[in-house]
């Protein structure tokens, strides 16, 4: 089977696993990083310190601004709910976009039930947020803007630097979900101008179950914690730190940062070959901006076919019709709907995502399977005219 | 058999994909579903008045719909019209082991089949 679903998750890099193993078994450093009365705990604490710095380096932040969480979903919850609850006396309006991940949308819907007002911006047809429209949506009571840096379904790269300037000029704080961007792009929280940034390890060849929230200390961003008990992570996120997970995250991001430039170029070439190979089919369309996108993700509509039927004809390819978090649902992609993609094309869309272990041979084999499958479905269709 | 493998086999290997000239006196056409709103199935059935001599289908939608149509076409080819009439959605469900959320595919196929047989019957009257 060929794995083309790196946007859903990535395998743990063997180099990462090697580092993690040292903090798990009796032969290793398995102590609780908060147990500073003995060497086991101190060793674990030291490992966490190093990993925290590695994570901070990956986004050009300070180590003390990194709060470890169980993943990007928890980081999003902490950022949005935590900020909203702390600052609600200043205002109760939050702005996000209809194309955000469910981790953000559902969190915002929860806040709506708690009395907050949420504006869900419509993207342009290319998936990018119109800065003019955003500016008009900001009100005196707006306290937070939450947008993702890279869309998980389309790979569209949002112009966060410009958007955060608009937010700050209007006294609004900026939260960015960077789960799909980490390890794939240069991320500099200062250059981007973000106040809160969510990341996870498992999309950058680290383990599942660990993520982080960057919380700016300059200016200092205050949040209400969402998990209480124990005082860990500056009392923002209680719970024993999972040393091996944190070590894995740090190592994964350090490797990704070191290899990012060459990897991105390699993957861009793979994507270009893939897209070029599909041209023989005709009537295939990229969903999302053609220029402002990452090379790792490409969302393609195949006119005349149903994506669910296409997946059945591609049993040797691991693919997704959209977000993994919602691919079990039969609903059309909310991202493509928000982009006003034609309904039939939306139903024919598949997300292909490439990664560190994707090879040229994988691309060629995928094309050899996809092309005849699409042709077969188009032959069966009463509507497709070649 | 793995369900997806069964669907794959029906969709990939069916020899009944295509259409027949339904202006011919011995060809009936039946359709179910509506483009843009649901899956769609078309059946073209040729007959000598007693037996089905040729059948073709076209379909758009999920794999269950396509496989259901392929199964029906295979099940009625060269059979008596009475046998074709007896093919219903329960039979299709049973053959393909469709889950509850996919049983509409079988209903669509039954409807399209019956309409094609009705059309054929009208031509023979």
């Amino acid at each position: 089977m060929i794995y083309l679903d790196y946007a859903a998750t990535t395998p743990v890099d063997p180099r990462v696993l090697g580092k993690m193993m040292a903090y798990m078994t009796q032969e290793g450093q398995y102590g609780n990083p908060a147990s500073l009365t003995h060497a086991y705990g101190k060793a674990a604490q030291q490992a966490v310190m190093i990993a925290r710095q590695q994570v901070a380096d990956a986004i050009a932040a300070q180590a003390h601004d990194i709060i470890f969480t169980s993943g990007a979903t928890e980081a999003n919850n902490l950022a949005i709910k935590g900020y909203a609850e702390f600052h609600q006396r200043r205002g109760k309006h939050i702005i996000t976009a209809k194309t955000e991940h469910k981790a953000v949308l559902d969190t915002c819907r929860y806040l709506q039930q708690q009395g907050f007002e949420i504006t869900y911006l419509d993207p342009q047809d290319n998936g990018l947020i119109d800065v003019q429209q955003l500016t008009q949506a900001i009100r005196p009571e707006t306290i937070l803007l939450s947008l993702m840096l890279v869309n998980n379904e389309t790979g569209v790269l949002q112009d966060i630097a410009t958007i955060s300037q608009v937010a700050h000029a209007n006294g609004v704080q900026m939260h960015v979900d960077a789960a799909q961007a980490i390890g794939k792009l240069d991320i500099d929280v200062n250059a981007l101008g973000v106040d809160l940034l969510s990341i996870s390890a498992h999309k950058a060849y680290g383990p599942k179950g660990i993520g982080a929230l960057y919380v700016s200390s300059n200016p200092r961003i205050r949040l209400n914690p969402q998990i209480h008990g124990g005082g860990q992570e500056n009392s923002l996120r209680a719970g024993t730190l999972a040393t091996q997970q944190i070590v894995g995250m740090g190592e994964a991001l350090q490797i990704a940062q070191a290899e990012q430039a060459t990897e991105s170029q390699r993957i861009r070439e793979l994507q270009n070959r893939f897209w070029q190979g599909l041209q023989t089919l005709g009537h295939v369309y990229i969903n999302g901006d053609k220029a402002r996108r990452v090379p790792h993700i490409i969302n393609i509509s195949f006119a005349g076919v149903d994506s669910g039927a296409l997946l059945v004809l591609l049993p040797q390819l691991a693919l997704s019709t959209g977000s993994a978090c919602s691919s079990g649902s039969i609903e059309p992609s909310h991202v493509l709907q928000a982009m006003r993609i034609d309904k039939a094309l939306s139903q024919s869309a598949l997300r292909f995502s490439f990664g560190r272990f994707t090879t040229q041979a994988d691309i060629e084999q995928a094309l050899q399977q996809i092309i005849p499958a699409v042709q077969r479905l188009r032959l069966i269709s009463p509507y497709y005219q070649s | 058999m793995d369900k997806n493998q069964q669907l794959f086999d029906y969709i990939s290997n069916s020899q009944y994909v295509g259409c027949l000239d339904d202006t011919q006196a011995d060809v009936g056409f039946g359709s179910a579903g509506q483009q843009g709103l649901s899956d769609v199935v078309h059946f073209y059935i040729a007959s000598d008045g007693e037996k089905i001599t040729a059948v073709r289908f076209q379909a758009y939608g999920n794999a269950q719909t396509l496989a259901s149509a392929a199964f029906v076409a295979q099940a009625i080819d060269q059979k008596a019209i009475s046998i074709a009439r007896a093919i219903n959605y329960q039979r299709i469900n049973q053959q393909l082991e469709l889950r509850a959320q996919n049983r509409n595919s079988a209903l669509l196929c039954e409807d399209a089949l019956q309409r094609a047989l009705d059309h054929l019957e009208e031509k023979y009257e």
Side-chain angles (χ1 to χ4, degrees), chain A residues 111-126:
Chain A
L111 287 174
Q112 269 181 296
Q113 291 167 1
Q114 309 310 310
F116 284 81
E117 264 195 84
I118 314 291
T119 294
Y120 300 92
L121 296 172
D122 284 304
Q124 300 172 81
D125 294 352
N126 59 6

Side-chain angles (χ1 to χ4, degrees), chain A residues 91-276:
Chain A
K92 296 187 77 168
H93 179 234
I94 295 170
I95 300 173
T96 187
K98 290 179 180 173
T99 44
E100 293 300 300
H101 191 276
K102 295 284 189 185
V104 168
L105 295 177
D106 287 355
T107 302
C108 287
R109 283 190 193 108
Y110 166 79
L111 287 174
Q112 269 181 296
Q113 291 167 1
Q114 309 310 310
F116 284 81
E117 264 195 84
I118 314 291
T119 294
Y120 300 92
L121 296 172
D122 284 304
Q124 300 172 81
D125 294 352
N126 59 6
L128 293 170
I129 295 297
D130 182 282
V131 176
Q132 209 61 350
Q133 186 200 16
L134 162 64
T135 310
Q136 285 164 6
I138 295 174
R139 309 173 198 166
E141 64 269 29
T142 307
I143 55 172
L144 185 68
L145 170 60
S146 179
L147 292 174
M148 62 198 341
L149 180 52
V150 171
N151 187 275
N152 55 301
E153 294 196 22
T154 62
V156 166
L157 176 60
Q158 215 56 250
D159 184 4
I160 293 295
T162 303
I163 288 170
S164 66
Q165 279 181 1
V166 170
H168 290 150
N170 288 275
V172 177
Q173 253 55 58
M174 184 81 212
H175 165 249
V176 169
D177 177 350
Q180 289 293 345
I182 191 70
K184 299 176 180 105
L185 298 176
D186 279 330
I187 298 178
D188 182 329
V189 288
N190 303 297
L192 289 174
V194 302
D195 303 293
L196 297 155
L197 185 109
S198 304
I199 54 176
S200 73
H202 76 96
K203 293 186 169 62
Y205 310 91
K208 294 174 186 59
I210 186 73
L213 178 66
Y214 159 77
V215 183
S216 169
S217 56
N218 185 22
R220 186 182 173 198
I221 299 298
R222 307 286 300 272
L223 305 175
N224 269 10
Q226 301 300 303
I227 298 175
H228 300 84
Q232 292 90 343
E233 299 303 272
N234 300 332
S235 296
L236 275 180
R237 201 282 187 182
T240 299
L241 293 182
T243 310
Q244 79 283 0
Q245 301 295 92
I246 290 168
V247 165
M249 183 172 186
E251 190 66 19
L253 295 193
Q254 185 173 60
I255 292 170
Q257 196 181 11
E259 299 177 358
Q260 185 257 314
T262 48
E263 250 318 85
S264 282
Q265 180 55 34
R266 187 185 74 86
I267 289 174
R268 189 168 293 283
E269 287 165 9
L270 289 177
Q271 194 197 97
N272 288 344
R273 167 62 196 128
F274 182 70
W275 176 240
Q276 185 192 45

Side-chain angles (χ1 to χ4, degrees), chain A residues 306 312 343 376-377 380-381 383, chain B residues 11 14 36 40 58-59 61 66:
Chain A
D306 175 274
V312 168
K343 189 179 174 188
R376 177 64 177 172
L377 291 176
I380 294 174
S381 171
Y383 303 122
Chain B
I11 297 170
S14 177
V40 173
Q58 292 176 312
L66 274 57

Side-chain angles (χ1 to χ4, degrees), chain A residues 276-339:
Chain A
Q276 185 192 45
L278 290 176
Q279 298 313 296
T280 54
L281 281 170
H283 301 134
V284 290
Y285 310 98
I286 293 176
N287 296 312
D289 194 79
K290 309 281 189 297
R292 287 196 64 90
R293 38 204 303 280
V294 293
H296 310 74
I297 300 172
I298 184 168
N299 191 301
I300 298 172
S301 286
F302 300 86
V305 312
D306 175 274
S307 59
L310 185 52
L311 283 178
V312 168
L313 292 193
L314 299 172
Q316 296 305 314
L317 300 186
L319 289 171
S320 172
T321 55
S323 160
C325 295
S326 35
S327 63
S329 159
I330 55 173
E331 292 297 311
S333 157
H334 73 280
V335 173
L336 299 186
Q337 275 190 314
M339 289 164 61

